[in-house]
Amino acid sequence: MSGATSGYSGTMASGAPPTAAALCYLRGTRILTTTGEVCIEDLRIGDLVVTRFNGILPIRWIGRQSFDARFVKDNPARIPVCIHAGALGEKLPARDLSVSPSHAMLIDGQLILAKYLVNGITITQTWMPIRVDYLTLDLGRHDCVVAEGTWSETYADAGDLRGAFDNAAEYAALYPDAPPPEDRVFCAPRPECGARLAACLHPVVARAAGAAKPGPLRGFIDRIAPPWHVAGWAHDTGHRDLPVLLEVVLEDRVIGTVLAADFRGDLLEAGIGQGRCAFAFTSPERLRPEQIGKLAVRRAADGSALPLAATIEPVPQPAREGLRLVS
């Protein structure tokens, strides 16, 4: 488990919604140390934890934030996300794991924010304790520890983020000559939209969808840009937070799949799936003008098709005379 990696800049992905500072683990979370699993509230500075990229590291500081549920229940940025046992794979996590929405899990080498994992079935954001106690582990560098049996991130410092913790003064007293970096540096890529995020969400969504009956499908194919691109949105109205896995069909052949899980502000404003219902598909083969009418996008689970309400863009014309798409 050792072997240091180069860091990744914490810049935000284009088109993604704003990301709040991670608050980390809910009180009661068990963390793997060199002496076994220990509840996070019982850990102390100097305790040795098992990390994904840097072997065994001592805890440099433990940040704490506490909220009365009355002041959290209407703030989705602070309501805990519960990753149910087995939601990420066989015994991953081994037991239910509760983290803050902007806390990241390491999935297939990518750091995925818990709020993007919420599907309403195996990963939920509905439970609210009377008192919400979050704790974070600062190891002096960003890494992942084993939390309830699965890899999950530690604290990444930058700017004035540490000031949000109730015991920020403790850190200042312990390390008066340790100014924060200007930018957050992560131990792995942290996609917030696009193909890499979808690839990590795909098995998680498939596992959740297998335990649920599909509800009524809403959505449209919004854009076709020959010869390669198809875009739109899809939402299962029976499962508000469950991304929809779609098949793209050309002349009765499935040419690929895409997960409707990207963010769009107009969908958020309309109250559709928290805005994360968009998709963009790049065809593995050139779409000829005469094929456009034979293109379809349907839900993989039951074949429900999305209607075409698309802007079909003109086909780029070669220098010689070619076919033109008439809309």
Side-chain angles (χ1 to χ4, degrees):
M1 285 182 276
S2 61
T5 65
S6 59
Y8 291 81
S9 171
T11 55
M12 190 176 299
S14 176
T19 301
L23 306 182
C24 290
Y25 301 99
L26 204 62
R27 180 183 182 88
T29 301
R30 282 166 280 201
I31 305 294
L32 183 62
T33 74
T34 54
T35 59
E37 291 185 314
V38 178
C39 286
I40 192 168
E41 65 269 20
D42 295 328
L43 291 171
R44 298 293 180 265
I45 292 175
D47 286 352
L48 300 176
V49 295
V50 178
T51 75
R52 174 64 180 86
F53 299 109
N54 291 282
I56 307 300
L57 289 179
I59 296 172
R60 181 176 171 85
W61 181 71
I62 302 173
R64 305 172 191 275
Q65 287 179 279
S66 296
F67 306 93
D68 188 293
R70 292 174 298 171
F71 304 106
V72 176
K73 64 181 179 68
D74 295 322
N75 185 349
R78 291 180 176 176
I79 297 173
V81 171
C82 180
I83 303 170
H84 297 264
L88 305 180
E90 184 67 26
K91 296 183 179 179
L92 297 175
R95 297 167 293 272
D96 289 359
L97 170 63
S98 291
V99 298
S100 56
S102 292
H103 180 86
M105 307 297 298
L106 187 68
I107 300 174
D108 196 21
Q110 311 287 308
L111 292 165
I112 307 299
L113 300 186
K115 63 183 177 182
Y116 299 160
L117 291 167
V118 172
N119 56 53
I121 299 172
T122 61
I123 302 175
T124 57
Q125 194 182 14
T126 56
W127 175 70
M128 176 62 63
I130 296 175
R131 179 181 174 86
V132 183
D133 294 316
Y134 284 118
L135 299 96
T136 190
L137 300 179
D138 184 352
L139 307 181
R141 66 185 75 182
H142 190 249
D143 210 315
C144 292
V145 293
V146 183
E148 302 295 2
T150 194
W151 293 115
S152 185
E153 73 171 339
T154 61
Y155 178 67
D157 195 21
D160 60 356
L161 289 178
R162 201 181 300 271
F165 291 93
D166 298 343
N167 60 331
E170 176 190 44
Y171 181 88
L174 288 170
Y175 309 106
D177 300 319
E182 292 184 6
D183 299 310
R184 303 177 79 185
V185 176
F186 301 118
C187 63
R190 194 171 184 171
E192 298 196 23
C193 63
R196 285 192 300 172
L197 175 63
C200 292
L201 293 181
H202 191 158
V204 179
V205 171
R207 193 172 292 108
K213 181 179 179 181
L217 182 67
R218 295 178 64 192
F220 293 97
I221 304 170
D222 287 337
R223 179 174 177 262
I224 299 176
W228 311 111
H229 301 294
V230 182
W233 64 275
H235 181 231
D236 185 331
T237 60
H239 304 284
R240 178 176 180 269
D241 296 321
L242 182 65
V244 178
L245 178 62
L246 300 167
E247 294 176 335
V248 182
V249 182
L250 183 63
E251 298 178 329
D252 297 323
R253 295 181 296 113
V254 176
I255 61 173
T257 61
V258 64
L259 192 67
D262 275 349
F263 177 80
R264 262 178 42 180
D266 60 330
L267 298 178
L268 177 64
E269 290 178 6
I272 298 173
Q274 300 188 58
R276 302 201 66 86
C277 302
F279 69 88
F281 177 78
T282 300
S283 173
E285 58 188 79
R286 186 181 184 90
L287 302 175
R288 301 188 307 274
E290 66 270 20
Q291 292 178 307
I292 299 301
K294 301 175 183 178
L295 181 72
V297 179
R298 67 191 187 193
R299 182 162 54 185
D302 61 1
S304 296
L306 292 179
L308 176 65
T311 298
I312 303 177
E313 300 184 1
V315 179
Q317 295 298 307
R320 58 183 176 81
E321 184 178 354
L323 292 171
R324 300 181 64 86
L325 175 67
V326 179
S327 58

